[in-house]
Amino acid sequence: MNCRAVLAGFPLAGTFAFAATLSAQTSSIEGNVVSTDGRPLKDAEIRFDQKGKQIPAIATHTDVNGHYTAALPTGFYKMSVIERGAVKSALIVKATGANSRIDFDLRPSAQKQIRHYVWVGEGTGSHLPGRWVEAGIRATRSPTH
C-alpha cells in the first residue's frame, strides 16, 4: 500500500516542477496609461507582438483607472497602446522573467513621458520590503577628453 502511494506521488511532483519552470519563464508587466487630456485612459488595448511571431499576440485592456497587467513568456515584444483602433504609442520591450512596470503618459510634450520601472526584491541586501524603482533611460552626453 505504501509503495502505491509513493509511486502515485511521482507524477504529481513532476507537475509541480513543470509549473515552476513555466512561471520562471514568464514576466509580469503592469503599468498605467494617462490620456492626452491627463486623465487615466480606460479601455485602451495594450498589445504585445512577439518578435519572430513564435506565439500569437497577447492583448489586455486598461481598467477605469488606466491600469493594465499582462504575463509574457520571455522574449522581445513590440508593445503598443491602442485607443479606438489607432496606435497611440509603441516601443520594444524585453521580457526577462522578472516583474516590470511601464507607464505611458500620452499628453503632448517635447519629450515622451514613458516610464519604465523594475521590481527590486527584498533579497538585495536591504531590510526594506520589495518596491518598484524607476529605471528610465535618460540621454546624457558622453564626456569629451
Side-chain angles (χ1 to χ4, degrees), residues 6-27:
V6 171
L7 291 176
F10 281 118
L12 185 60
T15 302
F16 286 128
F18 180 70
T21 301
L22 281 179
S23 67
Q25 297 174 351
T26 302
S27 295

Side-chain angles (χ1 to χ4, degrees), residues 9-87:
F10 281 118
L12 185 60
T15 302
F16 286 128
F18 180 70
T21 301
L22 281 179
S23 67
Q25 297 174 351
T26 302
S27 295
S28 169
I29 188 166
E30 70 172 300
N32 294 315
V33 182
V34 175
S35 68
T36 55
D37 63 3
R39 289 186 257 176
L41 184 60
K42 64 179 181 177
D43 204 32
E45 180 181 2
I46 309 298
R47 183 180 175 100
F48 298 90
D49 293 296
Q50 188 180 43
K51 185 176 182 179
K53 302 200 185 253
Q54 297 151 343
I55 63 169
I58 297 169
T60 187
H61 287 83
T62 56
D63 62 17
V64 296
N65 298 314
H67 186 76
Y68 70 90
T69 59
L72 305 173
T74 57
F76 287 91
Y77 295 85
K78 178 181 178 186
M79 179 182 184
S80 304
V81 177
I82 304 168
E83 180 185 24
R84 295 186 205 117
V87 175

Side-chain angles (χ1 to χ4, degrees), residues 64-133:
V64 296
N65 298 314
H67 186 76
Y68 70 90
T69 59
L72 305 173
T74 57
F76 287 91
Y77 295 85
K78 178 181 178 186
M79 179 182 184
S80 304
V81 177
I82 304 168
E83 180 185 24
R84 295 186 205 117
V87 175
K88 298 298 182 176
S89 185
L91 66 143
I92 303 299
V93 297
K94 180 180 180 183
T96 62
N99 296 334
S100 193
R101 179 179 181 99
I102 300 176
D103 291 338
F104 290 86
D105 187 335
L106 302 177
R107 292 179 283 194
S109 68
Q111 182 180 15
K112 287 291 183 185
Q113 298 295 319
I114 299 172
R115 297 179 188 238
H116 181 210
Y117 297 86
V118 293
W119 180 256
V120 178
E122 58 188 69
T124 59
S126 171
H127 296 292
L128 298 173
R131 66 199 181 283
W132 288 107
V133 176

